[in-house]
């Protein structure tokens, strides 16, 4: 259409210039006018061709081998392309919203590329075991739950057998097969490693708020805990928080979990060494939740998602890092001791083996053991039995 229009305008321009020449105008002016007209047309056509080629290249890149199965790749990648063509970025800025309405919470269970046995153990206990089960869970609870995973890092020790690209394709094939059987993952565009857990959590929140902008809460959980999803639902939906005078309406900037403080390790020979200790000017970390599970309100995650890249301070550990961010974002720390129980009871939301382990010790074995405990299997009970909060370690300084 553009070329036809330009051709028509060119012919008209030439006729005008030739007519003007025939009436005795100066030839050099006519020739110059025609040359300028032709140069303008060439520039427009060049820009059009470049735009067309860029669009074609983006589409080609988007549909190239994220999943091995070509048919399934097209179905899955077509959704990703919508985000890419609308300005997608590594943190999911251009991802299309998956939220079809207001969701109470998005629960992201962080898992690693080689943690398939843990995921299997969770699916045999409290995590929905198929795509249909995940949809049923959302319909029943108004909460979305997914395993959160990035890309597997290239293993240099295997390069004599498999190149990095072959390792990547092998991982994608494995994850695709798992998705076909049990339901889709929440994928992050990052390489997984223990040292990148801070960045994984950061990227999770930034991506989740864009895909579920209407979720009231975002729950970060690890794959080595026992969770009572129904009790979590009631806790988040009742909108109440503990205060010295009893339960009161929850703040819109709630940071919910089991809070603690701890020593800062300044010896670089220790496992939990904190290289940024001089910036903290103290021997004890600020208030923060235990890392296995915590919840942030929509307002906090939205603010976190709008901050410029590179503007956030990352400490060594994820839990202390998020606690630091929440101080800067003026969060209301809501200490709920039901988020850190060592055994199942009628007053339990989450079970893990802290402080002995950073979750359940030997999680696959422990999940199967807990699955045989009546108090763990019957996660409903009556609300009155477990709704009352245990007395927190502190009262929020600025709770509503």
């Amino acid at each position: 259409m553009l070329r036809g229009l330009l051709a028509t305008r060119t012919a008209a321009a030439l006729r005008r210039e030739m007519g003007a020449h025939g009436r005795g105008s100066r030839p050099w002016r006519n020739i110059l006018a025609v040359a300028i007209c032709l140069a303008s047309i060439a520039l427009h056509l060049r820009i059009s061709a470049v735009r067309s080629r860029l669009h074609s290249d983006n589409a080609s890149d988007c549909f190239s081998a994220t999943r091995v199965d070509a048919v399934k790749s097209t179905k899955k990648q077509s959704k990703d392309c919508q985000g890419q063509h609308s300005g997608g970025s590594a943190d999911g800025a251009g991802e299309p919203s998956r939220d079809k309405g207001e969701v109470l919470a998005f629960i992201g269970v962080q898992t690693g590329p080689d943690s398939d046995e843990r995921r299997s153990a969770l699916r045999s206990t409290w995590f929905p075991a198929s795509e249909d089960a995940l949809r049923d869970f959302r319909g029943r609870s108004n909460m979305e739950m997914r395993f959160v995973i990035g890309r597997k890092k290239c293993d240099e020790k295997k390069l004599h057998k498999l190149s990095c690209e072959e390792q990547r394709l092998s991982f994608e094939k494995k994850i695709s097969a798992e998705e076909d059987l049990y339901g889709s993952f929440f994928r992050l565009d990052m390489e997984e490693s223990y040292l990148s857990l801070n960045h994984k959590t950061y990227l999770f929140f930034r991506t989740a708020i864009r895909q579920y902008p209407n979720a009231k809460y975002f729950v970060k959980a690890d794959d080595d805990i026992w969770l009572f999803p129904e009790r979590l639902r009631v806790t988040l939906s009742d909108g109440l928080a503990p205060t010295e005078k009893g339960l009161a309406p929850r703040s819109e900037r709630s940071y919910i979990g089991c809070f603690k403080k701890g020593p800062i390790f300044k010896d670089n020979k220790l496992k939990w060494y904190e290289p940024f200790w001089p910036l903290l000017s103290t021997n004890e970390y600020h208030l923060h939740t235990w890392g296995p599970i915590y919840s942030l309100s929509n307002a906090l995650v939205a603010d976190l998602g709008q901050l410029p890249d590179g503007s956030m301070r990352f400490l060594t550990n994820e839990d202390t890092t998020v606690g630091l961010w929440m101080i800067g974002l003026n969060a209301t720390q809501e200490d709920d001791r039901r988020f850190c129980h060592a055994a199942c009871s009628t007053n339990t939301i989450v079970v893990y083996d802290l402080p002995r382990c950073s979750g359940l010790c030997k999680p696959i074995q422990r999940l199967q053991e807990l699955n045989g405990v009546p108090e763990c299997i019957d996660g409903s009970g009556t609300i009155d039995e477990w709704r009352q909060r245990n007395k927190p370690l502190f009262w929020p300084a600025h709770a509503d």
Side-chain angles (χ1 to χ4, degrees):
M1 180 177 178
L2 176 62
R3 292 181 180 180
L5 179 61
L6 291 174
T8 301
R9 291 181 178 178
T10 302
L14 287 172
R15 284 195 297 270
R16 287 196 302 272
E17 298 305 329
M18 291 175 68
H21 179 64
R23 290 192 295 270
S25 62
R26 297 179 180 179
W28 66 269
R29 289 185 177 179
N30 298 335
I31 295 172
L32 179 61
V34 172
I36 292 173
C37 182
L38 291 175
S40 177
I41 293 170
L43 178 61
H44 280 289
L45 291 176
R46 177 62 177 170
I47 293 173
S48 176
V50 170
R51 286 177 175 172
S52 177
R53 186 168 65 253
L54 286 174
H55 179 82
S56 176
D57 289 345
N58 283 342
S60 176
D61 291 342
C62 187
F63 285 94
S64 64
T66 295
R67 298 192 59 180
V68 177
D69 186 308
V71 176
K72 292 171 183 174
S73 175
T74 301
K75 292 180 180 178
K76 183 175 186 297
Q77 291 296 322
S78 61
K79 297 181 181 179
D80 297 336
C81 287
Q82 297 173 22
Q84 185 185 60
H85 293 162
S86 61
S89 65
D91 65 1
E95 290 288 338
S97 172
R98 298 184 183 183
D99 194 354
K100 304 304 181 182
E102 187 175 274
V103 179
L104 174 63
F106 179 78
I107 306 171
V109 181
Q110 296 204 12
T111 187
D114 298 319
S115 297
D116 45 307
E117 291 186 3
R118 285 193 188 184
R119 294 191 291 272
S120 179
L122 288 177
R123 293 187 183 107
S124 68
T125 54
W126 57 265
F127 193 97
S130 67
E131 191 68 44
D132 288 341
L134 287 166
R135 283 194 293 267
D136 291 344
F137 174 78
R138 171 161 178 168
R140 184 174 65 253
S141 67
N142 197 29
M143 298 192 298
E144 190 82 53
M145 190 185 318
R146 299 284 169 174
F147 282 118
V148 180
I149 195 169
R151 301 188 307 273
K152 186 171 183 178
K153 188 176 182 179
C154 180
D155 188 348
E156 296 182 358
K157 295 180 181 179
K158 296 181 179 179
L159 287 177
H160 66 287
K161 294 182 179 179
L162 296 172
S163 67
C164 288
E165 178 64 13
E166 290 171 331
Q167 291 181 43
R168 185 189 68 81
L169 291 174
S170 176
F171 168 70
E172 290 294 342
K173 182 176 180 180
K174 172 185 171 182
I175 292 299
S176 296
E178 192 172 337
E179 284 185 316
D180 291 339
L181 288 173
Y182 304 113
S184 61
F185 289 75
F186 190 80
R187 304 290 292 273
L188 298 178
D189 186 16
M190 59 162 291
E191 282 191 348
E192 294 266 16
S193 72
Y194 180 78
L195 295 178
S196 68
L197 291 179
N198 277 341
H199 294 273
K200 181 176 181 178
T201 300
Y202 176 68
L203 187 58
F204 161 65
F205 285 127
R206 287 175 66 92
T207 307
I209 189 63
R210 291 181 173 99
Q211 295 196 24
Y212 297 91
N214 295 322
K216 289 185 176 181
Y217 300 96
F218 295 87
V219 180
K220 178 268 175 183
D222 290 342
D223 63 358
D224 56 353
I225 64 172
W226 182 279
L227 175 65
F228 289 89
E230 172 62 16
R231 297 180 182 182
L232 176 64
R233 181 192 69 80
V234 175
T235 297
L236 296 178
S237 62
D238 67 13
L240 299 175
T243 70
E244 290 185 274
K245 298 180 180 179
L247 297 178
R250 177 176 289 133
S251 167
E252 293 184 355
R253 306 185 68 79
S254 293
Y255 171 30
I256 308 170
C258 197
F259 281 81
K260 68 183 181 75
K261 289 187 176 181
I264 298 175
F265 294 101
K266 303 178 181 181
D267 186 346
N268 60 10
K269 296 179 182 179
L270 298 176
K271 178 180 179 180
W272 306 112
Y273 168 63
E274 177 58 77
F276 297 107
W277 65 264
L279 299 178
L280 303 174
S281 301
T282 180
N283 292 321
E284 187 178 54
Y285 279 114
H286 46 273
L287 202 64
H288 60 279
T289 66
W290 288 100
I293 185 170
Y294 52 87
S295 172
L296 303 182
S297 66
N298 182 287
L300 292 174
V301 179
D303 286 351
L304 191 63
Q306 292 173 3
L307 292 170
D309 287 337
S311 64
M312 304 301 289
R313 168 66 65 182
F314 288 81
L315 302 179
T316 298
N317 299 305
E318 174 225 342
D319 52 359
T320 56
T321 297
V322 174
L324 183 65
W325 296 343
M326 293 303 104
I327 293 173
L329 293 176
N330 195 33
T332 297
Q333 289 86 352
E334 183 180 322
D335 186 31
D336 192 330
R337 310 312 292 175
R338 298 172 303 163
F339 278 76
C340 53
H341 278 199
C344 296
S345 72
T346 56
N347 197 38
T348 300
I349 295 177
V350 185
V351 176
Y352 46 92
D353 294 326
L354 287 173
R356 289 188 297 140
C357 302
S358 59
L360 291 172
C361 301
K362 299 181 180 179
I364 297 171
Q365 177 182 330
R366 287 281 284 129
L367 284 167
Q368 297 302 327
E369 291 173 356
L370 293 174
N371 199 41
V373 177
E375 291 80 3
C376 296
I377 297 174
D378 183 13
S380 56
T382 61
I383 293 179
D384 291 339
E385 285 181 307
W386 56 267
R387 182 178 179 181
Q388 296 301 317
R389 272 68 168 169
N390 295 339
K391 184 178 179 180
L393 295 180
F394 68 97
W395 301 112
H398 51 284
D400 293 340

